[in-house]
Amino acid sequence: MQNYFQEEPITKQIKDDYKRDRVAVVDHANTIKGCAALVEAYVVILCLSGKVSLVIDGKHYLVKTNDLIVCTPNTYIEEQKEQNSYECIGLVVAPEYFQKAIVLSSNVWNIKQELVNNPVICLSDAEAKMFTQYCNVIKVKLSREHRQHYKEGLSFLISAFICDFYDAMETRFSQNTPLEFSSAETIFGKFVQLINDTHPKRREVKFYAQQLCISPKYLSVICKRLTGNTASDLISEMVVKDIQNMLYLSDKSIKEIAVELGFDNLSFFGKFVKRELGMSPKALRHKKNEQ
């Protein structure tokens, strides 16, 4: 994030946290004062009091109490030279956290496009309170000693925040007139929906490409361009989510899970899980049960 914050001590703390954990908390009055930057992460900031005039991707916005500023990567944000006093709190979150949210719903891509067009959103008092609580809890987490499960705990916190964030946005945007998407965006939305609707999930890009009447190469190009991940990466991520849910939440044997999820044999299933999650299905289930 280039020249994102004016006050150097604040800048250093935020940069240090972001460099180490890929997430940082913004919690100082007038933190974005004098900013002019092309942001490289997701920046989500709530105005707690006062007001500030901003230009976001060339459009002017007057941000007031309970307004949430949402900047996706490659958004240009600049404060107008006005003598406004305001307080804010927010999060700077690396893109990879939000990329993982694709597995939540096929509507995630629609929401992201809405946010690009509408980067300032007024929250209710309850939503503003929840957002502030997330920021405060994450701030405490970042300040704690880095013990064995520090990264996992932080990741769960960010994932919980993103889930609530998308739920709040989906409630707002679901009533809107559908956006006009490019051909690539339309295909991508259908691809995500197709994966969500397929059980057991097929792991071959070719299968989904055939359903969409395009080539596997073109499907991967679209996914890479829009999300930074290949089609195979996205499929594997959703398959892994199914595996985790079944290992952690069901009483089925590992062999039953492998069969239900469409793996040809138990050996291949074990190798897939170890490659994606770092340990065998049995070890994963044992570790979860011990927590």
Side-chain angles (χ1 to χ4, degrees), residues 131-175:
F131 179 80
T132 302
Q133 289 173 334
Y134 267 118
C135 292
N136 288 332
V137 170
I138 292 170
K139 181 182 178 182
V140 170
K141 181 66 176 175
L142 293 174
S143 67
R144 294 284 296 276
E145 179 184 352
H146 290 199
R147 296 184 178 179
Q148 182 180 356
H149 298 104
Y150 172 84
K151 288 186 177 180
E152 290 85 349
L154 179 61
S155 180
F156 289 144
L157 271 176
I158 301 300
S159 295
F161 159 70
I162 292 174
C163 287
D164 281 327
F165 172 80
Y166 273 123
D167 281 349
M169 297 304 103
E170 190 168 33
T171 300
R172 283 170 170 76
F173 297 142
S174 62
Q175 303 302 320

mmCIF file of all heavy atoms in Angstrom, residues 131-175:
data_model
loop_
_atom_site.group_PDB
_atom_site.id
_atom_site.type_symbol
_atom_site.label_atom_id
_atom_site.label_comp_id
_atom_site.label_asym_id
_atom_site.label_seq_id
_atom_site.Cartn_x
_atom_site.Cartn_y
_atom_site.Cartn_z
ATOM 1 N N PHE A 131 -19.125 -4.870 13.355
ATOM 2 C CA PHE A 131 -17.886 -4.610 12.632
ATOM 3 C C PHE A 131 -16.812 -4.104 13.586
ATOM 4 O O PHE A 131 -15.657 -4.544 13.535
ATOM 5 C CB PHE A 131 -18.127 -3.582 11.523
ATOM 6 C CG PHE A 131 -16.894 -3.236 10.743
ATOM 7 C CD1 PHE A 131 -16.425 -4.067 9.732
ATOM 8 C CD2 PHE A 131 -16.170 -2.076 11.020
ATOM 9 C CE1 PHE A 131 -15.284 -3.761 9.015
ATOM 10 C CE2 PHE A 131 -15.031 -1.758 10.318
ATOM 11 C CZ PHE A 131 -14.586 -2.600 9.310
ATOM 12 N N THR A 132 -17.177 -3.182 14.464
ATOM 13 C CA THR A 132 -16.228 -2.632 15.441
ATOM 14 C C THR A 132 -15.708 -3.732 16.362
ATOM 15 O O THR A 132 -14.512 -3.781 16.692
ATOM 16 C CB THR A 132 -16.897 -1.520 16.262
ATOM 17 O OG1 THR A 132 -17.374 -0.501 15.391
ATOM 18 C CG2 THR A 132 -15.914 -0.911 17.258
ATOM 19 N N GLN A 133 -16.597 -4.638 16.767
ATOM 20 C CA GLN A 133 -16.181 -5.747 17.632
ATOM 21 C C GLN A 133 -15.186 -6.663 16.926
ATOM 22 O O GLN A 133 -14.199 -7.108 17.526
ATOM 23 C CB GLN A 133 -17.408 -6.539 18.089
ATOM 24 C CG GLN A 133 -18.275 -5.787 19.088
ATOM 25 C CD GLN A 133 -19.580 -6.502 19.404
ATOM 26 O OE1 GLN A 133 -20.087 -7.275 18.589
ATOM 27 N NE2 GLN A 133 -20.140 -6.245 20.572
ATOM 28 N N TYR A 134 -15.426 -6.953 15.656
ATOM 29 C CA TYR A 134 -14.473 -7.758 14.895
ATOM 30 C C TYR A 134 -13.102 -7.072 14.871
ATOM 31 O O TYR A 134 -12.061 -7.718 15.096
ATOM 32 C CB TYR A 134 -14.960 -7.962 13.458
ATOM 33 C CG TYR A 134 -15.753 -9.214 13.241
ATOM 34 C CD1 TYR A 134 -17.076 -9.164 12.826
ATOM 35 C CD2 TYR A 134 -15.184 -10.475 13.442
ATOM 36 C CE1 TYR A 134 -17.813 -10.320 12.619
ATOM 37 C CE2 TYR A 134 -15.916 -11.641 13.244
ATOM 38 C CZ TYR A 134 -17.234 -11.556 12.830
ATOM 39 O OH TYR A 134 -17.951 -12.716 12.632
ATOM 40 N N CYS A 135 -13.097 -5.781 14.597
ATOM 41 C CA CYS A 135 -11.825 -5.046 14.535
ATOM 42 C C CYS A 135 -11.086 -5.119 15.859
ATOM 43 O O CYS A 135 -9.866 -5.333 15.902
ATOM 44 C CB CYS A 135 -12.079 -3.586 14.148
ATOM 45 S SG CYS A 135 -12.671 -3.343 12.464
ATOM 46 N N ASN A 136 -11.821 -4.946 16.957
ATOM 47 C CA ASN A 136 -11.190 -4.959 18.275
ATOM 48 C C ASN A 136 -10.642 -6.342 18.630
ATOM 49 O O ASN A 136 -9.547 -6.464 19.191
ATOM 50 C CB ASN A 136 -12.188 -4.496 19.337
ATOM 51 C CG ASN A 136 -12.486 -3.006 19.254
ATOM 52 O OD1 ASN A 136 -11.641 -2.221 18.810
ATOM 53 N ND2 ASN A 136 -13.676 -2.610 19.658
ATOM 54 N N VAL A 137 -11.413 -7.395 18.310
ATOM 55 C CA VAL A 137 -10.946 -8.757 18.604
ATOM 56 C C VAL A 137 -9.710 -9.091 17.768
ATOM 57 O O VAL A 137 -8.736 -9.679 18.273
ATOM 58 C CB VAL A 137 -12.069 -9.786 18.343
ATOM 59 C CG1 VAL A 137 -11.524 -11.207 18.420
ATOM 60 C CG2 VAL A 137 -13.190 -9.614 19.359
ATOM 61 N N ILE A 138 -9.729 -8.723 16.494
ATOM 62 C CA ILE A 138 -8.581 -8.993 15.625
ATOM 63 C C ILE A 138 -7.364 -8.202 16.096
ATOM 64 O O ILE A 138 -6.228 -8.698 16.073
ATOM 65 C CB ILE A 138 -8.923 -8.667 14.157
ATOM 66 C CG1 ILE A 138 -9.965 -9.676 13.649
ATOM 67 C CG2 ILE A 138 -7.673 -8.716 13.268
ATOM 68 C CD1 ILE A 138 -10.566 -9.321 12.308
ATOM 69 N N LYS A 139 -7.585 -6.979 16.574
ATOM 70 C CA LYS A 139 -6.471 -6.185 17.102
ATOM 71 C C LYS A 139 -5.831 -6.878 18.301
ATOM 72 O O LYS A 139 -4.601 -6.956 18.412
ATOM 73 C CB LYS A 139 -6.972 -4.791 17.508
ATOM 74 C CG LYS A 139 -5.863 -3.907 18.048
ATOM 75 C CD LYS A 139 -6.390 -2.562 18.493
ATOM 76 C CE LYS A 139 -5.256 -1.710 19.068
ATOM 77 N NZ LYS A 139 -5.754 -0.396 19.560
ATOM 78 N N VAL A 140 -6.664 -7.396 19.202
ATOM 79 C CA VAL A 140 -6.141 -8.121 20.365
ATOM 80 C C VAL A 140 -5.363 -9.345 19.908
ATOM 81 O O VAL A 140 -4.273 -9.644 20.412
ATOM 82 C CB VAL A 140 -7.292 -8.525 21.309
ATOM 83 C CG1 VAL A 140 -6.779 -9.478 22.386
ATOM 84 C CG2 VAL A 140 -7.914 -7.296 21.948
ATOM 85 N N LYS A 141 -5.918 -10.056 18.928
ATOM 86 C CA LYS A 141 -5.248 -11.259 18.419
ATOM 87 C C LYS A 141 -3.877 -10.916 17.848
ATOM 88 O O LYS A 141 -2.891 -11.629 18.094
ATOM 89 C CB LYS A 141 -6.121 -11.905 17.337
ATOM 90 C CG LYS A 141 -5.529 -13.184 16.741
ATOM 91 C CD LYS A 141 -5.461 -14.306 17.758
ATOM 92 C CE LYS A 141 -4.956 -15.595 17.142
ATOM 93 N NZ LYS A 141 -4.779 -16.659 18.140
ATOM 94 N N LEU A 142 -3.781 -9.830 17.097
ATOM 95 C CA LEU A 142 -2.517 -9.435 16.488
ATOM 96 C C LEU A 142 -1.464 -9.063 17.529
ATOM 97 O O LEU A 142 -0.259 -9.191 17.282
ATOM 98 C CB LEU A 142 -2.725 -8.248 15.541
ATOM 99 C CG LEU A 142 -3.540 -8.518 14.275
ATOM 100 C CD1 LEU A 142 -3.787 -7.217 13.512
ATOM 101 C CD2 LEU A 142 -2.852 -9.532 13.372
ATOM 102 N N SER A 143 -1.927 -8.603 18.683
ATOM 103 C CA SER A 143 -0.998 -8.168 19.732
ATOM 104 C C SER A 143 -0.559 -9.302 20.649
ATOM 105 O O SER A 143 0.363 -9.138 21.447
ATOM 106 C CB SER A 143 -1.639 -7.061 20.581
ATOM 107 O OG SER A 143 -2.732 -7.576 21.336
ATOM 108 N N ARG A 144 -1.226 -10.465 20.543
ATOM 109 C CA ARG A 144 -0.917 -11.572 21.435
ATOM 110 C C ARG A 144 0.348 -12.305 21.012
ATOM 111 O O ARG A 144 0.808 -12.227 19.868
ATOM 112 C CB ARG A 144 -2.086 -12.569 21.438
ATOM 113 C CG ARG A 144 -3.374 -12.033 22.023
ATOM 114 C CD ARG A 144 -3.332 -11.959 23.533
ATOM 115 N NE ARG A 144 -3.209 -13.271 24.143
ATOM 116 C CZ ARG A 144 -4.230 -14.078 24.388
ATOM 117 N NH1 ARG A 144 -5.468 -13.724 24.066
ATOM 118 N NH2 ARG A 144 -4.038 -15.249 24.972
ATOM 119 N N GLU A 145 0.890 -13.050 21.957
ATOM 120 C CA GLU A 145 2.053 -13.879 21.677
ATOM 121 C C GLU A 145 1.704 -14.914 20.607
ATOM 122 O O GLU A 145 0.620 -15.497 20.608
ATOM 123 C CB GLU A 145 2.472 -14.605 22.955
ATOM 124 C CG GLU A 145 3.664 -15.531 22.787
ATOM 125 C CD GLU A 145 3.975 -16.298 24.059
ATOM 126 O OE1 GLU A 145 3.365 -15.986 25.099
ATOM 127 O OE2 GLU A 145 4.820 -17.221 24.004
ATOM 128 N N HIS A 146 2.613 -15.132 19.677
ATOM 129 C CA HIS A 146 2.365 -16.059 18.575
ATOM 130 C C HIS A 146 2.637 -17.495 19.022
ATOM 131 O O HIS A 146 3.741 -17.997 18.896
ATOM 132 C CB HIS A 146 3.238 -15.687 17.368
ATOM 133 C CG HIS A 146 2.811 -14.421 16.721
ATOM 134 N ND1 HIS A 146 3.157 -14.073 15.447
ATOM 135 C CD2 HIS A 146 2.049 -13.399 17.179
ATOM 136 C CE1 HIS A 146 2.633 -12.903 15.146
ATOM 137 N NE2 HIS A 146 1.968 -12.468 16.185
ATOM 138 N N ARG A 147 1.581 -18.146 19.494
ATOM 139 C CA ARG A 147 1.711 -19.528 19.940
ATOM 140 C C ARG A 147 1.436 -20.490 18.786
ATOM 141 O O ARG A 147 1.256 -20.079 17.649
ATOM 142 C CB ARG A 147 0.762 -19.775 21.114
ATOM 143 C CG ARG A 147 1.130 -18.926 22.337
ATOM 144 C CD ARG A 147 0.256 -19.237 23.525
ATOM 145 N NE ARG A 147 0.654 -18.449 24.692
ATOM 146 C CZ ARG A 147 0.035 -18.512 25.873
ATOM 147 N NH1 ARG A 147 -0.996 -19.340 26.041
ATOM 148 N NH2 ARG A 147 0.451 -17.766 26.885
ATOM 149 N N GLN A 148 1.358 -21.777 19.111
ATOM 150 C CA GLN A 148 1.315 -22.814 18.077
ATOM 151 C C GLN A 148 0.192 -22.621 17.063
ATOM 152 O O GLN A 148 0.383 -22.796 15.866
ATOM 153 C CB GLN A 148 1.168 -24.190 18.745
ATOM 154 C CG GLN A 148 1.158 -25.345 17.742
ATOM 155 C CD GLN A 148 1.023 -26.692 18.420
ATOM 156 O OE1 GLN A 148 1.015 -26.777 19.644
ATOM 157 N NE2 GLN A 148 0.921 -27.746 17.634
ATOM 158 N N HIS A 149 -1.012 -22.259 17.537
ATOM 159 C CA HIS A 149 -2.163 -22.164 16.643
ATOM 160 C C HIS A 149 -2.542 -20.717 16.344
ATOM 161 O O HIS A 149 -3.689 -20.421 15.993
ATOM 162 C CB HIS A 149 -3.356 -22.905 17.243
ATOM 163 C CG HIS A 149 -3.108 -24.374 17.417
ATOM 164 N ND1 HIS A 149 -2.836 -24.928 18.648
ATOM 165 C CD2 HIS A 149 -3.043 -25.383 16.519
ATOM 166 C CE1 HIS A 149 -2.643 -26.230 18.505
ATOM 167 N NE2 HIS A 149 -2.756 -26.531 17.225
ATOM 168 N N TYR A 150 -1.580 -19.811 16.465
ATOM 169 C CA TYR A 150 -1.850 -18.397 16.225
ATOM 170 C C TYR A 150 -2.397 -18.150 14.822
ATOM 171 O O TYR A 150 -3.430 -17.499 14.636
ATOM 172 C CB TYR A 150 -0.561 -17.587 16.435
ATOM 173 C CG TYR A 150 -0.685 -16.138 16.015
ATOM 174 C CD1 TYR A 150 -1.223 -15.189 16.880
ATOM 175 C CD2 TYR A 150 -0.269 -15.717 14.750
ATOM 176 C CE1 TYR A 150 -1.352 -13.867 16.503
ATOM 177 C CE2 TYR A 150 -0.391 -14.393 14.371
ATOM 178 C CZ TYR A 150 -0.934 -13.477 15.242
ATOM 179 O OH TYR A 150 -1.070 -12.161 14.854
ATOM 180 N N LYS A 151 -1.719 -18.676 13.804
ATOM 181 C CA LYS A 151 -2.119 -18.422 12.422
ATOM 182 C C LYS A 151 -3.497 -19.007 12.128
ATOM 183 O O LYS A 151 -4.313 -18.383 11.445
ATOM 184 C CB LYS A 151 -1.081 -18.995 11.454
ATOM 185 C CG LYS A 151 0.221 -18.210 11.430
ATOM 186 C CD LYS A 151 1.157 -18.739 10.354
ATOM 187 C CE LYS A 151 2.423 -17.903 10.304
ATOM 188 N NZ LYS A 151 3.359 -18.396 9.251
ATOM 189 N N GLU A 152 -3.757 -20.229 12.636
ATOM 190 C CA GLU A 152 -5.056 -20.846 12.407
ATOM 191 C C GLU A 152 -6.164 -20.030 13.059
ATOM 192 O O GLU A 152 -7.219 -19.796 12.465
ATOM 193 C CB GLU A 152 -5.075 -22.274 12.961
ATOM 194 C CG GLU A 152 -4.218 -23.264 12.184
ATOM 195 C CD GLU A 152 -2.760 -23.263 12.631
ATOM 196 O OE1 GLU A 152 -2.359 -22.358 13.403
ATOM 197 O OE2 GLU A 152 -2.025 -24.171 12.203
ATOM 198 N N GLY A 153 -5.917 -19.584 14.294
ATOM 199 C CA GLY A 153 -6.918 -18.780 14.996
ATOM 200 C C GLY A 153 -7.203 -17.475 14.289
ATOM 201 O O GLY A 153 -8.361 -17.064 14.153
ATOM 202 N N LEU A 154 -6.156 -16.823 13.816
ATOM 203 C CA LEU A 154 -6.333 -15.566 13.085
ATOM 204 C C LEU A 154 -7.109 -15.802 11.795
ATOM 205 O O LEU A 154 -8.009 -15.031 11.440
ATOM 206 C CB LEU A 154 -4.975 -14.939 12.780
ATOM 207 C CG LEU A 154 -5.003 -13.619 11.999
ATOM 208 C CD1 LEU A 154 -5.757 -12.549 12.786
ATOM 209 C CD2 LEU A 154 -3.576 -13.162 11.698
ATOM 210 N N SER A 155 -6.770 -16.887 11.103
ATOM 211 C CA SER A 155 -7.453 -17.205 9.855
ATOM 212 C C SER A 155 -8.940 -17.448 10.089
ATOM 213 O O SER A 155 -9.788 -16.994 9.311
ATOM 214 C CB SER A 155 -6.817 -18.438 9.216
ATOM 215 O OG SER A 155 -7.464 -18.779 8.010
ATOM 216 N N PHE A 156 -9.292 -18.147 11.172
ATOM 217 C CA PHE A 156 -10.701 -18.393 11.494
ATOM 218 C C PHE A 156 -11.427 -17.078 11.785
ATOM 219 O O PHE A 156 -12.583 -16.890 11.384
ATOM 220 C CB PHE A 156 -10.829 -19.330 12.701
ATOM 221 C CG PHE A 156 -10.440 -20.750 12.402
ATOM 222 C CD1 PHE A 156 -9.794 -21.519 13.359
ATOM 223 C CD2 PHE A 156 -10.711 -21.320 11.169
ATOM 224 C CE1 PHE A 156 -9.443 -22.836 13.088
ATOM 225 C CE2 PHE A 156 -10.363 -22.634 10.889
ATOM 226 C CZ PHE A 156 -9.723 -23.390 11.847
ATOM 227 N N LEU A 157 -10.746 -16.165 12.496
ATOM 228 C CA LEU A 157 -11.353 -14.870 12.798
ATOM 229 C C LEU A 157 -11.655 -14.092 11.514
ATOM 230 O O LEU A 157 -12.749 -13.539 11.351
ATOM 231 C CB LEU A 157 -10.408 -14.036 13.672
ATOM 232 C CG LEU A 157 -10.521 -14.179 15.182
ATOM 233 C CD1 LEU A 157 -9.436 -13.351 15.865
ATOM 234 C CD2 LEU A 157 -11.895 -13.725 15.660
ATOM 235 N N ILE A 158 -10.680 -14.056 10.607
ATOM 236 C CA ILE A 158 -10.869 -13.333 9.356
ATOM 237 C C ILE A 158 -11.971 -13.988 8.530
ATOM 238 O O ILE A 158 -12.807 -13.306 7.917
ATOM 239 C CB ILE A 158 -9.564 -13.279 8.539
ATOM 240 C CG1 ILE A 158 -8.454 -12.584 9.349
ATOM 241 C CG2 ILE A 158 -9.786 -12.535 7.226
ATOM 242 C CD1 ILE A 158 -8.759 -11.180 9.755
ATOM 243 N N SER A 159 -11.998 -15.318 8.515
ATOM 244 C CA SER A 159 -13.033 -16.029 7.760
ATOM 245 C C SER A 159 -14.416 -15.721 8.316
ATOM 246 O O SER A 159 -15.375 -15.532 7.553
ATOM 247 C CB SER A 159 -12.779 -17.534 7.806
ATOM 248 O OG SER A 159 -11.581 -17.868 7.139
ATOM 249 N N ALA A 160 -14.537 -15.673 9.654
ATOM 250 C CA ALA A 160 -15.823 -15.349 10.275
ATOM 251 C C ALA A 160 -16.256 -13.936 9.895
ATOM 252 O O ALA A 160 -17.436 -13.697 9.575
ATOM 253 C CB ALA A 160 -15.725 -15.485 11.791
ATOM 254 N N PHE A 161 -15.314 -13.009 9.919
ATOM 255 C CA PHE A 161 -15.627 -11.633 9.526
ATOM 256 C C PHE A 161 -16.118 -11.579 8.081
ATOM 257 O O PHE A 161 -17.127 -10.931 7.773
ATOM 258 C CB PHE A 161 -14.390 -10.740 9.676
ATOM 259 C CG PHE A 161 -14.462 -9.481 8.858
ATOM 260 C CD1 PHE A 161 -15.345 -8.469 9.188
ATOM 261 C CD2 PHE A 161 -13.672 -9.332 7.727
ATOM 262 C CE1 PHE A 161 -15.436 -7.325 8.408
ATOM 263 C CE2 PHE A 161 -13.743 -8.200 6.941
ATOM 264 C CZ PHE A 161 -14.634 -7.186 7.288
ATOM 265 N N ILE A 162 -15.423 -12.275 7.186
ATOM 266 C CA ILE A 162 -15.794 -12.253 5.766
ATOM 267 C C ILE A 162 -17.177 -12.858 5.562
ATOM 268 O O ILE A 162 -17.975 -12.354 4.758
ATOM 269 C CB ILE A 162 -14.729 -12.971 4.914
ATOM 270 C CG1 ILE A 162 -13.422 -12.146 4.917
ATOM 271 C CG2 ILE A 162 -15.207 -13.169 3.484
ATOM 272 C CD1 ILE A 162 -12.257 -12.831 4.232
ATOM 273 N N CYS A 163 -17.490 -13.932 6.284
ATOM 274 C CA CYS A 163 -18.822 -14.546 6.185
ATOM 275 C C CYS A 163 -19.907 -13.534 6.573
ATOM 276 O O CYS A 163 -20.900 -13.357 5.852
ATOM 277 C CB CYS A 163 -18.923 -15.765 7.091
ATOM 278 S SG CYS A 163 -18.025 -17.209 6.509
ATOM 279 N N ASP A 164 -19.735 -12.867 7.713
ATOM 280 C CA ASP A 164 -20.728 -11.881 8.157
ATOM 281 C C ASP A 164 -20.776 -10.687 7.211
ATOM 282 O O ASP A 164 -21.845 -10.125 6.935
ATOM 283 C CB ASP A 164 -20.415 -11.417 9.583
ATOM 284 C CG ASP A 164 -20.871 -12.413 10.634
ATOM 285 O OD1 ASP A 164 -21.902 -13.075 10.407
ATOM 286 O OD2 ASP A 164 -20.199 -12.546 11.670
ATOM 287 N N PHE A 165 -19.618 -10.300 6.708
ATOM 288 C CA PHE A 165 -19.539 -9.183 5.765
ATOM 289 C C PHE A 165 -20.341 -9.499 4.510
ATOM 290 O O PHE A 165 -21.175 -8.702 4.061
ATOM 291 C CB PHE A 165 -18.072 -8.906 5.415
ATOM 292 C CG PHE A 165 -17.880 -7.900 4.319
ATOM 293 C CD1 PHE A 165 -17.967 -6.547 4.576
ATOM 294 C CD2 PHE A 165 -17.596 -8.317 3.025
ATOM 295 C CE1 PHE A 165 -17.793 -5.617 3.555
ATOM 296 C CE2 PHE A 165 -17.419 -7.403 2.000
ATOM 297 C CZ PHE A 165 -17.517 -6.041 2.271
ATOM 298 N N TYR A 166 -20.124 -10.685 3.937
ATOM 299 C CA TYR A 166 -20.838 -11.048 2.713
ATOM 300 C C TYR A 166 -22.337 -11.222 2.962
ATOM 301 O O TYR A 166 -23.160 -10.884 2.103
ATOM 302 C CB TYR A 166 -20.246 -12.309 2.092
ATOM 303 C CG TYR A 166 -19.094 -12.030 1.164
ATOM 304 C CD1 TYR A 166 -17.840 -12.610 1.360
ATOM 305 C CD2 TYR A 166 -19.248 -11.171 0.085
ATOM 306 C CE1 TYR A 166 -16.785 -12.343 0.508
ATOM 307 C CE2 TYR A 166 -18.199 -10.901 -0.777
ATOM 308 C CZ TYR A 166 -16.973 -11.491 -0.559
ATOM 309 O OH TYR A 166 -15.928 -11.218 -1.403
ATOM 310 N N ASP A 167 -22.704 -11.739 4.124
ATOM 311 C CA ASP A 167 -24.129 -11.867 4.449
ATOM 312 C C ASP A 167 -24.801 -10.490 4.466
ATOM 313 O O ASP A 167 -25.913 -10.318 3.950
ATOM 314 C CB ASP A 167 -24.312 -12.546 5.804
ATOM 315 C CG ASP A 167 -24.155 -14.055 5.731
ATOM 316 O OD1 ASP A 167 -24.121 -14.589 4.602
ATOM 317 O OD2 ASP A 167 -24.048 -14.694 6.800
ATOM 318 N N ALA A 168 -24.122 -9.521 5.071
ATOM 319 C CA ALA A 168 -24.675 -8.164 5.135
ATOM 320 C C ALA A 168 -24.789 -7.546 3.745
ATOM 321 O O ALA A 168 -25.780 -6.883 3.416
ATOM 322 C CB ALA A 168 -23.805 -7.286 6.036
ATOM 323 N N MET A 169 -23.780 -7.782 2.915
ATOM 324 C CA MET A 169 -23.803 -7.220 1.566
ATOM 325 C C MET A 169 -24.851 -7.912 0.694
ATOM 326 O O MET A 169 -25.532 -7.273 -0.106
ATOM 327 C CB MET A 169 -22.428 -7.337 0.913
ATOM 328 C CG MET A 169 -21.316 -6.560 1.599
ATOM 329 S SD MET A 169 -21.652 -4.790 1.788
ATOM 330 C CE MET A 169 -22.104 -4.701 3.536
ATOM 331 N N GLU A 170 -24.988 -9.226 0.871
ATOM 332 C CA GLU A 170 -25.955 -9.977 0.063
ATOM 333 C C GLU A 170 -27.375 -9.510 0.349
ATOM 334 O O GLU A 170 -28.209 -9.401 -0.559
ATOM 335 C CB GLU A 170 -25.822 -11.476 0.348
ATOM 336 C CG GLU A 170 -26.598 -12.349 -0.611
ATOM 337 C CD GLU A 170 -26.217 -13.810 -0.492
ATOM 338 O OE1 GLU A 170 -25.883 -14.236 0.635
ATOM 339 O OE2 GLU A 170 -26.239 -14.518 -1.502
ATOM 340 N N THR A 171 -27.669 -9.202 1.615
ATOM 341 C CA THR A 171 -28.987 -8.697 1.984
ATOM 342 C C THR A 171 -29.295 -7.396 1.261
ATOM 343 O O THR A 171 -30.424 -7.175 0.794
ATOM 344 C CB THR A 171 -29.062 -8.468 3.506
ATOM 345 O OG1 THR A 171 -28.831 -9.712 4.175
ATOM 346 C CG2 THR A 171 -30.419 -7.920 3.909
ATOM 347 N N ARG A 172 -28.289 -6.542 1.129
ATOM 348 C CA ARG A 172 -28.492 -5.262 0.464
ATOM 349 C C ARG A 172 -28.649 -5.412 -1.046
ATOM 350 O O ARG A 172 -29.531 -4.825 -1.659
ATOM 351 C CB ARG A 172 -27.307 -4.338 0.735
ATOM 352 C CG ARG A 172 -27.318 -3.720 2.108
ATOM 353 C CD ARG A 172 -26.010 -3.018 2.410
ATOM 354 N NE ARG A 172 -26.125 -2.238 3.622
ATOM 355 C CZ ARG A 172 -26.122 -2.754 4.838
ATOM 356 N NH1 ARG A 172 -26.006 -4.068 4.983
ATOM 357 N NH2 ARG A 172 -26.244 -1.987 5.902
ATOM 358 N N PHE A 173 -27.751 -6.184 -1.636
ATOM 359 C CA PHE A 173 -27.662 -6.203 -3.097
ATOM 360 C C PHE A 173 -28.621 -7.183 -3.751
ATOM 361 O O PHE A 173 -28.810 -7.133 -4.968
ATOM 362 C CB PHE A 173 -26.228 -6.528 -3.521
ATOM 363 C CG PHE A 173 -25.233 -5.489 -3.090
ATOM 364 C CD1 PHE A 173 -23.964 -5.868 -2.656
ATOM 365 C CD2 PHE A 173 -25.548 -4.151 -3.099
ATOM 366 C CE1 PHE A 173 -23.030 -4.918 -2.261
ATOM 367 C CE2 PHE A 173 -24.625 -3.189 -2.703
ATOM 368 C CZ PHE A 173 -23.368 -3.576 -2.285
ATOM 369 N N SER A 174 -29.221 -8.086 -2.975
ATOM 370 C CA SER A 174 -30.095 -9.082 -3.583
ATOM 371 C C SER A 174 -31.339 -8.456 -4.204
ATOM 372 O O SER A 174 -31.960 -9.034 -5.087
ATOM 373 C CB SER A 174 -30.513 -10.130 -2.541
ATOM 374 O OG SER A 174 -31.250 -9.515 -1.486
ATOM 375 N N GLN A 175 -31.700 -7.260 -3.737
ATOM 376 C CA GLN A 175 -32.889 -6.591 -4.269
ATOM 377 C C GLN A 175 -32.564 -5.706 -5.471
ATOM 378 O O GLN A 175 -33.459 -5.164 -6.106
ATOM 379 C CB GLN A 175 -33.524 -5.713 -3.166
ATOM 380 C CG GLN A 175 -33.898 -6.486 -1.908
ATOM 381 C CD GLN A 175 -34.870 -7.606 -2.183
ATOM 382 O OE1 GLN A 175 -35.798 -7.451 -2.970
ATOM 383 N NE2 GLN A 175 -34.657 -8.753 -1.539
#
